[in-house]
Amino acid sequence: MKKEIHPDNYRLVAFKDMSNEETFVTRSTVNTKDTIEIEGVEYPLVKLEISNTSHPFYTGKMKLVDTAGRVDKFRSRYQKHMDNRKK
């Protein structure tokens, strides 16, 4: 391993999956202004839209994570085409 190319300011950081409220703590160098208290200890907080606890590849479940309403907009636009395919 090359010397002096890796950061030396690792600290414990909490990552929170906003789709299912799952939180995990790991070492990271990421900068963040948010904090969270877990078991009486305050950690810097990084908010994630998706993680291994909500991603279909890892969970085996097809769950749509839609933060901007794009799936609903698509379904409403193409609903009549989808209905015709079912007949």
Side-chain angles (χ1 to χ4, degrees), residues 72-81:
D72 291 333
K73 185 176 179 181
F74 175 84
R75 285 185 177 163
S76 66
R77 182 180 292 168
Y78 294 102
Q79 185 65 42
K80 63 181 176 182
H81 298 294

Side-chain angles (χ1 to χ4, degrees), residues 78-87:
Y78 294 102
Q79 185 65 42
K80 63 181 176 182
H81 298 294
M82 293 168 63
D83 292 339
N84 288 338
R85 288 185 66 193
K86 292 179 183 176
K87 291 181 181 180

Side-chain angles (χ1 to χ4, degrees), residues 57-82:
F57 180 81
Y58 297 104
T59 62
K61 299 176 185 175
M62 289 303 297
K63 176 183 172 186
L64 295 175
V65 177
D66 183 25
T67 58
R70 290 172 280 190
V71 173
D72 291 333
K73 185 176 179 181
F74 175 84
R75 285 185 177 163
S76 66
R77 182 180 292 168
Y78 294 102
Q79 185 65 42
K80 63 181 176 182
H81 298 294
M82 293 168 63

Side-chain angles (χ1 to χ4, degrees), residues 7-52:
D8 57 357
N9 60 339
Y10 286 98
R11 66 183 194 273
L12 290 176
V13 177
F15 290 84
K16 184 174 185 179
D17 186 331
M18 301 309 288
S19 66
N20 64 4
E21 302 296 318
E22 189 75 26
T23 305
F24 60 94
V25 178
T26 188
R27 293 171 44 103
S28 178
T29 61
V30 67
N31 292 324
T32 181
K33 294 179 182 177
D34 297 327
T35 60
I36 189 171
E37 187 173 318
I38 301 174
E39 298 177 0
V41 180
E42 190 169 344
Y43 297 102
L45 174 65
V46 176
K47 296 177 182 176
L48 306 171
E49 287 190 28
I50 195 163
S51 71
N52 64 325

